[in-house]
Amino acid sequence: MLGYVMSDVNHSCSSISTIKSSYSSKTILPLITCPICLEIFREPLQLPCQHNFCKSCLERITVDRWSRCPVCRGCYRVPFSGVGSFETNRTIINLLENHSYTESRPMLQAKCALCKLDDTITICEHCREAICYKCRRQHYDEFRKYICLKLNETQQETEKLIAKEVENIKNHEENINHSTDMVNTIRYKVNELIDKIKQEEKKLLHSIQEFNNTEQRLLKEKNNRFQDLTKIKTFCLSSQEKLYSKEETDQEAIEIRQKYEEYVINTNSLQNQILVVKTPRHRISFFNQDISFDAISLGFIEIKMELEPIESTIQLSQLKNYSIDKNIQNYSKQFVCSLSSTSQDQNELLNLSIINGNRCCPSSSKNHKRTPRIIGKRGTRDTEFNHPSSLAYSKRDKLIYVCDTYNNRLVTYGIDGIFQQVYKAISETGERRFHHPYAIHIDSNNRLYLIDQSERRIKVFNRDFKLIRLIGQYGHDIDQYLTPCDLCTDEQNNIYVCDAGGHRILKYNEQGEFLLAWGGLGTDNGQFKCPACICTMNGDRLAVSDWGNDRIQVFNCEGDHLLSIGHRGKLLAEFSRPLGLTYDETTEKLFVCDDGNNRIMKFNHDFSMTELVYSKIGFNGPYDILLLKDGQIIISEHRAHRLQII
């Protein structure tokens, strides 16, 4: 420590002595000396009060948007871009440039930092130590040894990284080559399906053409019969008039009788053809007439990945992309079954997963075979939504509660997805219950906790929707919140609140008394950037979705940080603006709504990635997730304005 102090003092004295020698007037020296570091100015900046300081000195003492001048104590505001935006003092810079000192290694009489003897020394440019001429070589050897050691370590690590990157490049090249086979397979299957559809089209059109030809022939025959009948009718009318006008039988009457007998025979024949034969009526029916066109899917390709560490001090994440096998005969029969023209096969879509070993098999996830049930669309009616957000489940009432935020109401459904009731913002008695509900939670005592977005309050209701109490209040104090966005309760009914505006987690007891708070704006472990959602887990643990930092953080109930999961990205175990969380106490699995990537991820008890939750129609803005009986899952999608039950 003494050596470093001597070095700084010697360097300062050297600089001042050099300036003194360059200037005949001693009055100039205070003008070019920084009042903070007492050395010659380096990048002099001028404050609004006209006092000058080194740029590095100002950066060191500036910790807030407002600060005070070290000389006159005048208050000044730091620009948004930092202290570097202050005006540069060009006069001082010109003085320093026109009268610069020339000695780069000042000669001083002091003790050497190595041998501790008085001698003429110089300052080391690397460590700023005072070194004599005799020890300079030894000091340089130590410096060279240290730098070479670090360079060697970096070289070894770089060689490992290069080897691994070469392997990665090779794998990606193989995947690109295999992708060509995948493209050919997809085209083959789609063309095969198109051929089948064209064959069906040809068959149906041929049937219609045969029916049309038959109808044309029948139409021609019926027109001929119609003309014959019209002719007989005309003969009958005219013959009756003639017979009534005659007084005795003559040749014309005999001819009428003969024609009558012929027409009677023809009429009997036509009567059998007209009354006995029924006119056919044809209609066309399609097997898939009830299938929505936007729900058609031939399958999907799943890319699995693993995290593989390199055996060195530097850890790398390795992505393994598994490719489709060139020999597609192993699964072609299964895929053809999904494209069969029979009605049974047309209703079954085969989901394929690309897995290791260059072979295909059905995915292990049960969700792949489930057809999601869609509830609602954008609108204001009872079964419609406008930005559905938080979900809650009442085990006692067997009801699902949905925050229909922009419709300013709560909507309830049964566990079978059947609509039950709407709770409006204004009660029947005219009492205002809430204004834009944003988050909802139901504790073990069946009490309903509601975060009111517009009023920025947390309200507790009983099951008759009577207000019990308020939790906390808006403000900047430690026991107050700025923008509450989610909450949960533990077994002791302690309340944990995500304060997105204050970047903190607040803890209250059952009566609403403040207990503690932790967090703050930042990217370190235990810090947040707009924490969005929170849920409890086994072992008195909490999971928090750190929305702005694209990660999940796990804490104990006292706010101690345990671990962080993920970072920003699109791969598995990576997030883009995570939102809703839920925890399965039976399987100890954590479900996360990855809003930015439009997907839902599921983690094991050790927080290793297991699989994605699949839906045949995909997700559009998953906000919250709720676990139902028999492994069913309900998801609210705020961008699609709907619910999905999978």
Side-chain angles (χ1 to χ4, degrees):
M1 178 63 72
L2 182 58
Y4 286 96
V5 173
M6 283 294 299
S7 173
D8 293 338
V9 172
N10 293 334
H11 179 65
S12 176
C13 294
S14 173
S15 300
I16 295 176
S17 62
T18 305
I19 294 297
K20 286 181 178 180
S21 63
S22 302
Y23 295 92
S24 59
S25 177
K26 296 182 179 180
T27 59
I28 299 179
L29 183 60
L31 300 178
I32 58 175
T33 303
C34 176
I36 298 178
C37 64
L38 301 179
E39 293 187 4
I40 302 302
F41 279 118
R42 299 182 181 88
E43 299 183 72
L45 299 178
Q46 191 175 56
L47 297 182
C49 60
Q50 305 302 314
H51 290 111
N52 303 291
F53 303 94
C54 296
K55 179 182 178 182
S56 59
C57 295
L58 283 179
E59 291 175 344
R60 188 170 65 252
I61 66 172
T62 301
V63 295
D64 202 354
R65 290 294 310 283
W66 290 91
S67 187
R68 291 184 178 273
C69 174
V71 177
C72 65
R73 306 305 296 168
C75 186
Y76 64 90
R77 184 175 182 177
V78 180
F80 286 101
S81 56
V83 297
S85 297
F86 283 125
E87 183 179 359
T88 303
N89 194 321
R90 301 302 306 176
T91 302
I92 295 178
I93 292 178
N94 292 333
L95 284 175
L96 296 176
E97 290 178 350
N98 295 332
H99 303 280
S100 60
Y101 53 93
T102 58
E103 293 188 7
S104 60
R105 294 177 178 267
M107 307 299 294
L108 300 175
Q109 190 73 20
K111 286 187 178 181
C112 176
L114 296 182
C115 64
K116 307 299 181 183
L117 298 178
D118 293 334
D119 198 354
T120 302
I121 64 171
T122 57
I123 304 300
C124 176
E125 296 295 337
H126 172 253
C127 61
R128 312 304 299 174
E129 290 281 0
I131 307 297
C132 67
Y133 279 109
K134 296 179 181 179
C135 299
R136 284 177 61 184
R137 184 62 185 180
Q138 177 185 354
H139 183 69
Y140 174 73
D141 291 340
E142 294 177 355
F143 165 76
R144 180 182 58 189
K145 182 179 179 181
Y146 171 77
I147 297 299
C148 290
L149 177 62
K150 294 300 179 182
L151 290 174
N152 187 37
E153 292 177 357
T154 304
Q155 177 187 353
Q156 294 177 0
E157 295 297 337
T158 304
E159 290 176 353
K160 294 180 181 179
L161 296 177
I162 291 175
K164 198 64 181 180
E165 198 64 28
V166 169
E167 182 181 354
N168 293 340
I169 293 174
K170 182 179 179 181
N171 292 335
H172 286 297
E173 290 176 349
E174 292 177 355
N175 289 335
I176 292 174
N177 295 332
H178 288 314
S179 66
T180 304
D181 299 330
M182 296 173 66
V183 170
N184 294 333
T185 302
I186 293 172
R187 288 176 177 173
Y188 170 76
K189 294 302 177 183
V190 172
N191 290 333
E192 185 178 11
L193 177 60
I194 293 174
D195 292 339
K196 290 179 179 294
I197 294 175
K198 288 183 177 180
Q199 293 176 6
E200 289 294 318
E201 178 191 19
K202 184 177 180 180
K203 182 181 70 174
L204 293 174
L205 292 178
H206 179 70
S207 300
I208 293 297
Q209 186 63 38
E210 290 182 349
F211 172 74
N212 187 48
N213 294 336
T214 303
E215 290 295 307
Q216 292 288 347
R217 179 177 55 81
L218 293 175
L219 178 62
K220 184 177 181 180
E221 293 177 357
K222 292 180 183 297
N223 284 330
N224 294 332
R225 286 197 293 266
F226 176 78
Q227 294 176 2
D228 293 341
L229 291 172
T230 303
K231 182 178 179 181
I232 293 174
K233 178 182 177 182
T234 303
F235 168 76
C236 292
L237 292 175
S238 60
S239 297
Q240 291 182 38
E241 293 177 356
K242 291 179 180 180
L243 291 174
Y244 279 118
S245 62
K246 293 181 181 295
E247 295 181 355
E248 61 180 10
T249 304
D250 56 6
Q251 184 64 31
E252 186 179 12
I254 298 299
E255 292 178 355
I256 290 174
R257 182 177 180 276
Q258 292 177 351
K259 286 186 178 181
Y260 158 72
E261 292 177 351
E262 294 178 1
Y263 285 152
V264 168
I265 296 175
N266 293 335
T267 302
N268 291 334
S269 177
L270 293 175
Q271 183 179 4
N272 293 332
Q273 296 178 12
I274 295 174
L275 299 181
V276 176
V277 178
K278 296 182 179 180
T279 302
R281 293 184 179 274
H282 290 184
R283 69 182 182 90
I284 185 169
S285 298
F286 290 98
F287 293 116
N288 62 342
Q289 59 182 353
D290 297 328
I291 298 178
S292 176
F293 285 100
D294 59 357
I296 294 178
S297 175
L298 300 181
F300 63 93
I301 296 175
E302 179 185 4
I303 301 177
K304 301 179 67 178
M305 75 112 187
E306 296 178 358
L307 297 179
E308 179 182 353
I310 295 180
E311 296 179 356
S312 70
T313 57
I314 299 179
Q315 302 292 330
L316 290 182
S317 298
Q318 172 63 23
L319 176 65
K320 291 187 175 181
N321 294 326
Y322 299 100
S323 304
I324 192 169
D325 187 10
K326 294 181 180 180
N327 186 9
I328 62 173
Q329 282 78 8
N330 293 334
Y331 61 91
S332 60
K333 294 181 179 180
Q334 298 179 0
F335 197 88
V336 169
C337 290
S338 68
L339 305 178
S340 175
S341 61
T342 63
S343 61
Q344 179 180 1
D345 293 337
Q346 286 177 347
N347 293 328
E348 296 179 356
L349 296 176
L350 182 60
N351 296 324
L352 299 179
S353 298
I354 310 303
I355 64 169
N356 200 1
N358 289 332
R359 60 186 179 88
C360 291
C361 70
S363 174
S364 61
S365 175
K366 296 181 181 179
N367 293 327
H368 291 178
K369 298 181 180 180
R370 294 180 181 173
T371 300
R373 179 178 180 182
I374 305 302
I375 300 177
K377 59 181 180 179
R378 186 165 189 172
T380 58
R381 291 185 293 182
D382 289 345
T383 57
E384 297 176 340
F385 302 101
N386 191 358
H387 195 284
S389 54
S390 181
L391 303 172
Y393 177 62
S394 173
K395 296 181 180 179
R396 189 175 303 177
D397 300 332
K398 307 295 183 183
L399 289 177
I400 300 169
Y401 288 78
V402 184
C403 283
D404 191 5
T405 302
Y406 294 156
N407 281 330
N408 198 17
R409 63 186 181 182
L410 293 179
V411 186
T412 59
Y413 288 85
I415 58 177
D416 52 359
I418 298 177
F419 170 79
Q420 298 293 327
Q421 188 176 357
V422 170
Y423 293 94
K424 297 183 179 180
I426 308 297
S427 65
E428 297 178 354
T429 60
E431 179 184 1
R432 178 178 289 276
R433 297 167 172 165
F434 47 77
H435 190 49
H436 294 131
Y438 194 73
I440 188 172
H441 175 74
I442 298 177
D443 66 6
S444 57
N445 295 325
N446 211 34
R447 290 173 296 202
L448 190 147
Y449 296 77
L450 187 69
I451 293 180
D452 195 320
Q453 185 183 45
S454 296
E455 297 182 5
R456 296 188 181 182
R457 298 302 301 268
I458 301 175
K459 302 178 180 180
V460 186
F461 299 90
N462 60 17
R463 296 314 313 118
D464 296 328
F465 232 95
K466 300 298 183 182
L467 182 65
I468 301 176
R469 68 175 64 92
L470 298 174
I471 305 296
Q473 61 180 344
Y474 173 79
H476 294 269
D477 294 338
I478 188 172
D479 60 340
Q480 298 175 334
Y481 42 73
L482 293 176
T483 310
C485 58
D486 196 23
L487 57 85
C488 68
T489 57
D490 59 14
E491 296 179 353
Q492 292 75 31
N493 288 325
N494 293 319
I495 307 164
Y496 301 88
V497 180
C498 279
D499 182 13
H503 312 285
R504 300 183 303 160
I505 303 297
L506 288 79
K507 180 178 180 181
Y508 301 88
N509 62 15
E510 186 176 2
Q511 288 72 36
E513 298 174 352
F514 175 76
L515 298 179
L516 64 95
W518 69 87
L521 179 60
T523 59
D524 295 337
N525 291 331
Q527 294 181 326
F528 304 100
K529 187 177 181 181
C530 298
C533 297
I534 187 171
C535 74
T536 58
M537 301 189 298
N538 293 342
D540 295 330
R541 296 175 299 168
L542 301 169
V544 181
S545 58
D546 193 357
W547 183 86
N549 289 325
D550 302 297
R551 63 184 178 183
I552 305 297
Q553 295 198 64
V554 181
F555 302 86
N556 61 19
C557 292
E558 299 302 321
D560 298 325
H561 180 268
L562 301 180
L563 72 142
S564 298
I565 309 169
H567 51 82
R568 184 171 184 82
K570 297 183 179 180
L571 302 178
L572 296 180
E574 296 179 346
F575 303 101
S576 176
R577 301 299 187 248
L579 286 175
L581 304 166
T582 191
Y583 183 73
D584 190 345
E585 297 180 354
T586 304
T587 61
E588 296 185 347
K589 292 185 177 181
L590 178 66
F591 294 76
V592 181
C593 291
D594 190 6
D595 176 45
N597 290 323
N598 289 319
R599 62 185 180 181
I600 296 176
M601 287 189 283
K602 183 163 55 175
F603 293 86
N604 277 331
H605 67 281
D606 57 352
F607 302 104
S608 61
M609 181 64 190
T610 56
E611 59 182 330
L612 297 174
V613 177
Y614 289 98
S615 171
K616 287 186 177 180
I617 64 173
F619 301 106
N620 186 9
Y623 189 97
D624 201 5
I625 182 171
L626 196 65
L627 301 181
L628 303 178
K629 64 178 183 178
D630 300 331
Q632 286 188 323
I633 303 172
I634 182 169
I635 300 102
S636 62
E637 301 176 80
H638 65 99
R639 283 195 291 270
H641 309 283
R642 67 188 179 191
L643 306 179
Q644 278 197 57
I645 299 180
I646 301 177

